[in-house]
Structure formats: structure tokens, C-alpha cells
């Protein structure tokens, strides 16, 4: 029923721009500081980690795209896991995305926006008001219809590529090229194996967002054909941009200096173009982050919308407004994101969201193999190449992220990850309460 009501007006351009728009946001501009801080100001392992994380993400996209195309329903990963593992685990996925992943990620992006705006306006007191304000603005804009949201996404994606291209081109032209790029791997006294996990988790935030285009499959004109193209094509573009722009940064400034700035792109732009040029690039960064935030508040509310239609969340989240979008769910997620943003902790929010989402990514990767065995006749418009090698690589990547964050990355990371586990598991009593007096759902659960 939901797909009959939701407007099918999103094509390949909007889907592709959603992938690129959601992935290329704050990470490419802000995460290099965390990367080169971890390496002690050495460039080598940082660049290798950008490449490794890109390969991990592409194999993940190649794997998950098979499920996305075979189950092109609104709800994305939550629906995939429900189809593969049953309703309870499907709900837990949607719960995690609704109360943790989407709002925490949107909040992290908004905090970056606030910090960047405050730098541009030279007024540190504006960080929090700008962070909260941009969330509420984007949330309201996304109540005007998916076509409006898709247009914003397409325009912002085109605009954000301009400063990226300028930095890359003029970085290589005007930069000295005298700074080391691949050596040393890490500074003296730092173990490469001891920090590689933290590096990858930090960088994976810069690559994340690729799977969420699946959440709008029900509003795409031809999801079976266009969804895999959007995921794979978008990720290939993103990986190339991430690696090349990091090389351009190093062409202008050494890694030890990049580690000192919250927005390396801004200081690099200032070195290349002067103070005025630096401010113009800052504006481009704001546009980029705005588009990234728009992507999350476009796709995220489709999760509680779907759960409400399944009667496992309050019915108010399942209502569409006159524009055919779940406005209540959108505004709820915007408010929750604003509450998260009050923490002002970009790295804490991003690390928390990465741990939570990669645990469920891994279940999705495993699900591809499971579906091949349990439903061999399922229509698959797209099949992952080099099966089962690519899915196995994806599964190992996901397990590495989860295990590293829980047990190997230090007490702080372990506590953040444990918090994510607790927030996710709260969904179990919520699910029991919502299905308690609904015999039809209980019967479905027993069958599952």
C-alpha cells in the first residue's frame, strides 16, 4: 500500500546525487585532521587508510546492491534484514536507524556546519545556534515533497563539486609538491597496527551514506535498474575524489600541519587562493555539508514511516502530508537530531553512528549469501560480481570494524560502542510493547 501512495518521481540523477551528496559531506573536509592526528602527523598510513576504506566501501556497495535491487521497497536496510531474518530483527534495525544512526549522523554533520559557519563569520558563539538552525531548516524543507528534496540534493551536489575540483586542480598547480605523501607511515613511537582500526572507523564516516539511497527505492521510477548504478557509480566517484583531494592537501601542506586544523580544506584553500579565496571555499564547504544533511533528513524519516505502517511505532509517523511525504516522521527526526547536536561532539557522534550501522551492514552482507541459499529463485536484477569473494570481503570488513571498536580501540571507543549497543537493545522492549495487543503481529513473529 505504501508504494501506491508514495510518489514514484525519483530517477537515476536524483538517486546518484543522493549517494554522492550524502557521502561527500563533512568527512572529506574535516576528517583529515583526525586521520593525521592519529598518525602523529605522518602521511603514509593516512593515505593508505583512505584507499583501504574506499575499497571496503565499494565491496560493501557491490554486495548490498544485490539485496537493494532484489527487495526494492521503501525502508532500505531495515526491510532487507526483515525479509532475511524476520520481523523482530528488522524492527531492531529500523529502531537503531531511527533513534541513533540517522539523528546522530545528522547531528554530527550539523555540528560541522555550525563550526564552519562560525569560522566564516568569525563568531564562535554562533556554533550552536547555526547547528540547531540548519537541522530545523532542512527538516522543514523536506516536508515539501520528495521532488523538492531531490532537486535540493541534485543542486547541492553539483555546487559542492566546484570547490572540490578547484582545490584539486589548483592544489597540484600551485602547491610545492615537496611534502612527503607515503612516508613515513606513522610517527616514531606509534604502532601502525595499533591505530589502523581507529583510522578506518574515522574515514568510513567520510564514505558513509551509500546504502541509505535504498530507503527511497519505493519513490524511484526504476529501482531494479537504477539503484545498483547509483550505489556503485556514486561510490566510485566518491573514492576517487577522497583519495585525490587528500593528495592535493599534501601537495600544499604537510600532514603534520593539516593535523592542526579542524577544516584542512579551508587552510589549503587560503594558501592557494588567499584569504578571500579561502572564504569562498568555506562557503562551498557549507553548501556541501548542507547537501549531506539534506540527504540524511530525506531518507531517514522513511524508516519510522515504514515502521508506523507496520504498526510497531505510533501511527502518527505513518501519515503522509499533502505533498506525499511523511512530515511527522521528518520533523521528529529533525528534533531528535537537534537534541543530539546539543552535545557539540562531532567525533563522538560520528564514531557512535559508525559502530552501530556497521554492525547491521555486516548482517546485510551475510544476508546476501543466506538469500542465495534460501531463495535461489528470487528475481535479482543485479548480482554481486565474483560471488562469494566480494561478499566475504565485505563481511570480514564489517566484523573488523565492530570487533575493533568494542575490544581493541581503547576504553573510550569501547564505552561509545557499548552505549550504541544499549540504545539499540532498548528497541526490544519497545517492540514487545507495540506488538503485545496485536495478535496478527504476534502470529507473524512466531512464523518468522
Amino acid at each position: 500500500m505504501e508504494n501506491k501512495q508514495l510518489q514514484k518521481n525519483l530517477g537515476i540523477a536524483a538517486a546518484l546525487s543522493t549517494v554522492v551528496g550524502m557521502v561527500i559531506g563533512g568527512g572529506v573536509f574535516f576528517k583529515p585532521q583526525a586521520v593525521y592526528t592519529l598518525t602523529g602527523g605522518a602521511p603514509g598510513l593516512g593515505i593508505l587508510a583512505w584507499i583501504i576504506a574506499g575499497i571496503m566501501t565499494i565491496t560493501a556497495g557491490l554486495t548490498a546492491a544485490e539485496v537493494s535491487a532484489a527487495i526494492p521497497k521503501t525502508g532500505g536496510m531495515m526491510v532487507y534484514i526483515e525479509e532475511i531474518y524476520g520481523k523482530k530483527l528488522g524492527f531492531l534495525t529500523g529502531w537503531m536507524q531511527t533513534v541513533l544512526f540517522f539523528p546522530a549522523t545528522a547531528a554530527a554533520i550539523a555540528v560541522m556546519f555550525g563550526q564552519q559557519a562560525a569560522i566564516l563569520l568569525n563568531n564562535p558563539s554562533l556554533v550552536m545556534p547555526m547547528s540547531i538552525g540548519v537541522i530545523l531548516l532542512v527538516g522543514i524543507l523536506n516536508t515539501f515533497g520528495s521532488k523538492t528534496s531531490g532537486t535540493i540534493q541534485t543542486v547541492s551536489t553539483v555546487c559542492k563539486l566546484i570547490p572540490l575540483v578547484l582545490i584539486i586542480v589548483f592544489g597540484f598547480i600551485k602547491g610545492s609538491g615537496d611534502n612527503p605523501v607515503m612516508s613515513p607511515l606513522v610517527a616514531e613511537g606509534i604502532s601502525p597496527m595499533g591505530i589502523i582500526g581507529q583510522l578506518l572507523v574515522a574515514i568510513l564516516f567520510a564514505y558513509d551514506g551509500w546504502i541509505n539511497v535504498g530507503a527511497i527505492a519505493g519513490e524511484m521510477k526504476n529501482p531494479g535498474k537504477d539503484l545498483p548504478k547509483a550505489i556503485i557509480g556514486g561510490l566510485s566517484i566518491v573514492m576517487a575524489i577522497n583519495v585525490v583531494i587528500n593528495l592535493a592537501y599534501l601537495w600544499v601542506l604537510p600532514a603534520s600541519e593539516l593535523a592542526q586544523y579542524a577544516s584542512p580544506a579551508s587552510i589549503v584553500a587560503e594558501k592557494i587562493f588567499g584569504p578571500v579565496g579561502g572564504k569562498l571555499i568555506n562557503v562551498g564547504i557549507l553548501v556541501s555539508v548542507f547537501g549531506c544533511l539534506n540527504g540524511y533528513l530525506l531518507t531517514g524519516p522513511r524508516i519510522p514511516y515504514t515502521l508506523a505502517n507496520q504498526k510497531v511505532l505510533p501511527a502518527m509517523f505513518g501519515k503522509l502530508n499533502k505533498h506525499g511525504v511523511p512530515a511527522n516522521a521528518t520533523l521528529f527526526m529533525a528534533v531528535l537530531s537537534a537534541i543530539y547536536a546539543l552535545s557539540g561532539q562531532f567525533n563522538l557522534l560520528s564514531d557512535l553512528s559508525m559502530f552501530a550501522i556497521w554492525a547491521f551492514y555486516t548482517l546485510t552482507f551475510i544476508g546476501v549469501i543466506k538469500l542465495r541459499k534460501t531463495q535461489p529463485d528470487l528475481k535479482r536484477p543485479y548480482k554481486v560480481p565474483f560471488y562469494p569473494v566480494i561478499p566475504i570481503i565485505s563481511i570480514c570488513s564489517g566484523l573488523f570494524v565492530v570487533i575493533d571498536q568494542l575490544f581493541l580501540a581503547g576504553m573510550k571507543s569501547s564505552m561509545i560502542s557499548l552505549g550504541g549497543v544499549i540504545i539499540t537493545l532498548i528497541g526490544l522492549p519497545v517492540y514487545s510493547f507495540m506488538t503485545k495487543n496485536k495478535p496478527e503481529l504476534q502470529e507473524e513473529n512466531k512464523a518468522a
Side-chain angles (χ1 to χ4, degrees):
M1 177 176 291
E2 66 195 48
N3 290 348
K4 292 180 181 179
Q5 298 178 51
L6 289 164
Q7 302 171 21
K8 287 181 172 291
N9 51 23
L10 297 181
I12 181 63
L16 183 66
S17 63
T18 298
V19 176
V20 177
M22 292 178 72
V23 177
I24 298 181
V28 71
F29 299 117
F30 291 83
K31 278 298 182 180
Q33 182 201 32
V35 169
Y36 297 125
T37 297
L38 284 168
T39 64
L45 192 60
I47 290 295
L48 287 176
W50 280 99
I51 295 171
I52 294 169
I55 294 171
M56 287 171 60
T57 306
I58 288 176
T59 60
L62 287 168
T63 302
E66 177 169 311
V67 183
S68 299
I71 312 173
K73 298 178 181 179
T74 294
M77 185 170 64
M78 173 193 68
V79 175
Y80 314 153
I81 288 182
E82 178 185 320
E83 292 270 344
I84 299 168
Y85 300 103
K87 288 187 174 294
K88 184 175 290 188
L89 193 52
F91 171 81
L92 208 60
T93 306
W95 169 263
M96 177 275 300
Q97 291 178 300
T98 298
V99 302
L100 179 55
F101 173 71
F102 277 105
T105 303
I109 294 167
V111 169
M112 288 189 292
F113 184 96
Q115 291 174 346
Q116 196 67 30
I119 292 173
L120 184 64
L121 299 173
N122 195 28
N123 189 341
S125 66
L126 291 177
V127 173
M128 193 55 62
M130 294 296 289
S131 300
I132 303 300
V134 73
I135 290 173
L136 299 179
L137 172 62
V138 173
I140 292 171
L141 289 175
N142 273 279
T143 65
F144 293 132
S146 59
K147 190 171 183 179
T148 299
S149 303
T151 300
I152 293 172
Q153 201 63 48
T154 301
V155 172
S156 65
T157 298
V158 172
C159 290
K160 78 172 58 180
L161 291 176
I162 295 174
L164 286 170
V165 170
L166 289 175
I167 289 176
I168 290 171
V169 172
F170 287 95
F172 285 119
I173 291 175
K174 293 192 173 184
S176 66
D178 296 332
N179 306 314
V181 172
M182 296 304 298
S183 63
L185 281 180
V186 293
E188 188 175 350
I190 295 177
S191 166
M193 294 306 298
I195 65 167
I196 185 63
Q198 296 175 69
L199 279 175
L200 291 175
V201 169
I203 292 173
L204 284 172
F205 178 80
Y207 280 104
D208 199 62
W210 50 272
I211 201 171
N212 299 314
V213 71
I216 57 172
E219 294 159 88
M220 293 178 66
K221 297 173 185 175
N222 190 350
K225 179 181 178 182
D226 292 343
L227 194 55
K229 289 182 180 178
I231 294 174
I232 298 166
L235 286 178
S236 297
I237 294 171
V238 168
M239 180 180 177
I241 290 173
N242 280 347
V243 173
V244 173
I245 197 169
N246 273 277
L247 292 175
Y249 292 157
L250 291 172
W251 211 254
V252 178
L253 291 173
S256 57
E257 192 167 342
L258 293 173
Q260 300 175 24
Y261 296 95
S263 177
S266 298
I267 190 64
V268 168
E270 189 171 326
K271 291 286 186 181
I272 298 172
F273 302 110
V276 175
K279 288 187 179 296
L280 290 175
I281 294 300
N282 282 345
V283 173
I285 293 172
L286 287 174
V287 172
S288 175
V289 175
F290 186 90
C292 188
L293 179 61
N294 180 75
Y296 278 91
L297 290 182
L298 164 63
T299 58
R302 273 62 182 174
I303 305 301
Y305 165 78
T306 302
L307 291 174
N309 277 290
Q310 294 176 348
K311 301 180 181 179
V312 288
L313 277 186
M316 61 175 290
F317 297 127
K319 294 180 179 179
L320 301 175
N321 66 5
K322 64 180 181 180
H323 300 293
V325 297
N328 291 338
T330 300
L331 294 176
F332 166 78
M333 191 161 286
V335 171
L336 189 56
S337 299
I339 293 172
Y340 274 101
L342 289 173
S343 70
Q345 300 294 313
F346 164 60
N347 284 316
L348 183 149
L349 291 168
S350 61
D351 288 350
L352 178 62
S353 65
M354 281 304 93
F355 168 79
I357 200 66
W358 268 85
F360 285 88
Y361 283 166
T362 307
L363 288 176
T364 305
F365 306 149
I366 295 171
V368 171
I369 296 176
K370 188 173 186 295
L371 276 181
R372 287 281 189 111
K373 294 182 178 180
T374 59
Q375 299 186 43
D377 298 327
L378 179 68
K379 182 180 178 182
R380 293 174 172 84
Y382 160 86
K383 290 186 176 182
V384 57
F386 306 109
Y387 180 89
V389 176
I390 297 295
I392 289 174
I393 293 174
S394 301
I395 293 167
C396 292
S397 298
L399 290 175
F400 174 80
V401 169
V402 173
I403 292 171
D404 179 82
Q405 286 298 95
L406 271 177
F407 305 110
L408 305 177
M411 181 62 70
K412 182 179 178 181
S413 294
S414 296
M415 294 302 295
I416 292 172
S417 301
L418 184 60
V421 172
I422 293 171
I423 293 172
T424 301
L425 292 179
I426 289 173
L428 291 176
V430 172
Y431 183 78
S432 297
F433 175 79
M434 293 299 297
T435 59
K436 185 176 181 181
N437 297 316
K438 296 170 183 173
E440 72 280 5
L441 292 180
Q442 291 175 356
E443 287 299 318
E444 290 175 356
N445 293 335
K446 291 177 182 177

